[in-house]
Amino acid sequence: MHSDNNHGKDHGKDNIYASALNDVPQFRFDQQVVDVFPDMIKRSVPGYSTILAGLAQIVERYAQAQTHCYDLGCSLGASLLAMRHRVLAEGVSIVGIDNSAAMIERCRQVVAADASECPVELIHGDILKQEFKPMSVCVLNFTLQFIEPAERLALLKKISAAMVPGGVLLLSEKLHFDDSEHNELMIKLHHNFKRSNGYSELEIAQKREAIEKVLLPESFACHKQRLLDAGFRSADLWFQCFNFSSIIAFK
Ligand code: GEK
């Protein structure tokens, strides 16, 4: 199953914004995005594969026996599988949640094709409305940025409340910088990264227009303070490339 502009030799290639659109619709995680998602995220997010490798190390070290590991906004399950392949503790189950029906449906196929033994539960739902079970690892890999800023603290408080002592949250986010000159430079370097991965000026411009009202970046200082307010004892950067970052927060 794939969309009209995604067939033949370009199967799986993100060319959603390759032709000029009269009216650029707001970005949504729909079937068209699902069909090209692995290509889109790899060519758009600097350090994506490095972050998944780091996440696998963190799970190996911090997943605790008889607890859950959550992947919130799991998309096609990349983080979830990175966890599944590396978890060592006994009796761990992994829970992936996404509110895009198209994403979770494809994710079910991806997980079914993966042979590892650690149990996985996939939930089609809003992460803001979930009751979390006791967890030792929680991953928000580029998901919190799509949640309304006013809702973010309540979500992090719920995660922190369900987290066992010594548990860890991995929060990857696109960052905003208060210094406007630095902010502009990071945006330019990110766009250069996309250009070097084959995106045209038109694709970069239209994607920016589509996503700017739904992806709301904040500063590292803002994330750190909110994590501390939510009950985490520390929150520090472990990865950054341009305006893309990953934070590790301990309960
Ligand atoms: C990865 N983590 O590959 N409830 C549930 N899911 C949501 C919500 C919500 N309220 N809001 C957004 N999402 C993945 C990549 S993508 C990031 C995560 C990106 C989901 C949304 O449907 C999408 O699948 C995901 O969060 C964000 O490691 O595309 O930049």
Side-chain angles (χ1 to χ4, degrees), residues 29 37 48 73 75 79 98-100 125-127 141-142 146-147:
F29 291 98
F37 191 71
Y48 179 68
S75 299
S79 308
D98 206 291
N99 67 350
S100 156
D126 185 343
I127 57 174
N141 203 29
F142 300 106
F146 293 102
I147 302 291

Side-chain angles (χ1 to χ4, degrees), residues 177 179-192 242-243:
F177 300 90
D179 181 312
S180 57
E181 213 172 302
H182 185 67
N183 198 50
E184 276 310 306
L185 175 62
M186 292 302 106
I187 291 170
K188 284 201 177 91
L189 294 178
H190 174 229
H191 288 172
N192 277 342
F242 311 139
N243 43 359

